[in-house]
Amino acid sequence: MAISCDTLIHDVHLASCRPGLDGPGVIRDAVVALADGRIVHAGPASTADAFAAAERVDGAGGWLTPGLIDCHTHLVWAGNRSEEFERRLGGESYASISRGGGGILSTVRATREASEETLFDAAAARLARLREEGVTSVEIKSGYGLSTATEMKMLRVARRLGEAFPVTVRTTLLGAHALPEDYAGRADDYVDLVCSEMIPAACAEGLADAVDVYCEDIAFNLAQCERIFIAAQAHGLAIKAHAEQLSDMHGALLAARYGARSVDHLEYLSAEDVPDLAKSGCTAVLLPGAWYTLRETRLPPVTALRAAEVPMAVATDLNPGTSPIASILSAMNMACVLFGLTPAEALLGVTRHAAFALGLTSKGQIAADFDADLCLWSVTDPAELSYGMNLVRPTRIWQAGRDVAGG
Ligand code: NIG
Ligand code: FE
């Protein structure tokens, strides 16, 4: 007797992103059955007859991938930084603008003034750009509030986006993004505020899934980041770090020692630190959009990360300063062209490995029991997702088994 399911997708090839298969987990000539928001079966075309489906979808020989996961964004903010962009084009550096009270702090001023509604509307428009490219899960950081009230306002907006749209949102408290002006010269006191007020407040309201830090000489030092990791873990929150973006402070190793889910940026990570990173099991998140925007020259140690089998994720880092790029497909293209990833690695970077970076254990792969977050692409090879910029779109997107776009 046939097994009943909600949807059967037939005449498709899978870039399943499962481990142990070729490239991005290739399974040609497949069928996928969905029921109650989960994948119940992904197998050869010959198994189609085993299923009685309420709806049959003809994949027309296209490729099915997991729904894409953007595992590092700062997409809630107010204002814009085009004036700073022009200053950088004129030769000023990101670090000098930041030391002079611009950069992150200028977005902080605008974000503090903005109402929750204004922030929500602006963020929803950016999220729409990601969603149309097939993003079904997104991480959203705070970090443009730098006061307990505004950090919580940002996290509330992030949570509301996940309720309002068919997208899974993971929220991250990034109180330690920059030192606010009212704490100038008192970084340790500000870290006290993050540990003793922001983290408990975020926990009390259930607003954060993880805590992130910006470990950099223009931001927070190792001892300060360590205090934040300890406080986060005492509250049962996962940790992450922006590390080795502009200099090598060995922040990635510190975060890995504390069991971080991910360490992000990593251009200045030294190859000697890679084996310890590999042992820790944390994911390396590469952010080529920030590298491109800042016209950086130092490349992350991709060869060493690959050799040590550190899972590499790729994300947009969507933010108003260093990566005003609301396109996961462009991030994949840049990861290939600028950082030397293969298209298969770029696809794993926005699926299986991005899921690792967020602790989303039931996402990022096409396999039985995984969530039915899927994209159907009318392409002849999955490498086409990375090959162009803004060149393709999914023809269908399912989130939790529900068709949320296309037709
Ligand atoms: O991920 N590195 C720190 N934070 C952001 C930049 C944020 C900003 O400039 O507004 C990043 O690149
Ligand atoms: Fe970032």
Side-chain angles (χ1 to χ4, degrees), residues 264-347:
D264 304 37
H265 283 294
L266 304 178
E267 286 85 341
Y268 282 80
L269 178 71
S270 77
E272 291 91 79
D273 286 354
V274 170
D276 283 338
L277 208 58
K279 273 184 232 134
S280 77
C282 99
T283 297
V285 179
L286 304 177
L287 303 168
W291 192 89
Y292 159 85
T293 302
L294 295 180
R295 297 201 281 195
E296 293 289 329
T297 51
R298 165 97 173 212
L299 288 163
V302 164
T303 308
L305 292 167
R306 182 187 288 131
E309 297 184 11
V310 175
M312 292 183 282
V314 174
T316 60
D317 195 10
L318 173 51
N319 76 67
T322 64
S323 194
I325 300 170
S327 170
I328 193 79
L329 296 173
S330 299
M332 292 166 71
N333 174 269
M334 287 189 271
C336 295
V337 173
L338 303 177
F339 288 177
L341 267 63
T342 65
E345 286 173 328
L347 182 53

Side-chain angles (χ1 to χ4, degrees), residues 59-365:
W63 284 81
L64 204 59
T65 67
L68 307 186
I69 301 172
D70 193 349
C71 68
H72 181 141
T73 84
H74 309 243
L75 69 73
V76 176
W77 80 79
N80 80 82
R81 308 245 288 275
S82 59
E83 181 243 1
E84 177 190 320
F85 172 61
E86 293 190 88
R87 283 167 63 190
R88 284 205 314 275
L89 291 175
E92 278 188 72
S93 75
Y94 178 71
S96 75
I97 291 170
S98 158
R99 281 196 202 93
I104 293 172
L105 290 182
S106 71
T107 301
V108 169
R109 288 187 284 274
T111 304
R112 284 182 177 177
E113 276 168 25
S115 70
E116 201 171 305
E117 279 325 299
T118 303
L119 279 178
F120 180 89
D121 291 345
R126 296 172 196 128
L127 182 61
R129 300 274 160 80
L130 296 178
R131 289 183 48 234
E132 74 187 35
E133 289 191 345
V135 169
T136 53
S137 299
V138 66
E139 185 251 17
I140 304 177
K141 301 176 195 295
S142 66
Y144 293 121
L146 311 185
S147 67
T148 304
T150 311
E151 289 291 304
M152 298 310 118
K153 176 171 75 175
M154 291 184 70
L155 292 172
R156 269 194 296 276
V157 169
R159 280 275 189 254
R160 277 180 55 203
L161 291 166
E163 288 154 16
F165 300 103
V167 62
T168 298
V169 171
R170 279 286 169 273
T171 57
T172 301
L173 172 68
L174 178 55
H177 196 193
L179 192 61
E181 278 156 330
D182 45 327
Y183 277 83
R186 298 190 293 129
D188 285 321
D189 291 347
Y190 180 68
V191 171
D192 284 343
L193 180 80
V194 173
C195 294
S196 61
E197 201 178 284
M198 287 185 196
I199 291 174
C203 268
E205 279 193 66
L207 288 175
D209 301 309
V211 173
D212 197 348
V213 295
Y214 188 17
C215 185
E216 193 57 67
D217 60 7
I218 57 167
F220 296 92
N221 65 30
L222 288 175
Q224 291 160 347
C225 293
E226 186 165 15
R227 287 174 54 208
I228 293 169
F229 293 156
I230 292 168
Q233 287 184 333
H235 285 81
L237 296 174
I239 61 165
K240 308 168 86 61
H242 285 68
E244 274 73 83
Q245 181 187 13
L246 306 170
S247 65
D248 185 7
M249 297 192 19
H250 303 285
L253 269 196
L254 174 75
R257 225 178 326 115
Y258 275 87
R261 284 221 172 107
S262 74
V263 288
D264 304 37
H265 283 294
L266 304 178
E267 286 85 341
Y268 282 80
L269 178 71
S270 77
E272 291 91 79
D273 286 354
V274 170
D276 283 338
L277 208 58
K279 273 184 232 134
S280 77
C282 99
T283 297
V285 179
L286 304 177
L287 303 168
W291 192 89
Y292 159 85
T293 302
L294 295 180
R295 297 201 281 195
E296 293 289 329
T297 51
R298 165 97 173 212
L299 288 163
V302 164
T303 308
L305 292 167
R306 182 187 288 131
E309 297 184 11
V310 175
M312 292 183 282
V314 174
T316 60
D317 195 10
L318 173 51
N319 76 67
T322 64
S323 194
I325 300 170
S327 170
I328 193 79
L329 296 173
S330 299
M332 292 166 71
N333 174 269
M334 287 189 271
C336 295
V337 173
L338 303 177
F339 288 177
L341 267 63
T342 65
E345 286 173 328
L347 182 53
L348 293 175
V350 300
T351 54
R352 184 171 93 218
H353 296 160
F356 291 170
L358 299 181
L360 292 171
T361 52
S362 63
K363 294 188 188 291
Q365 299 181 45

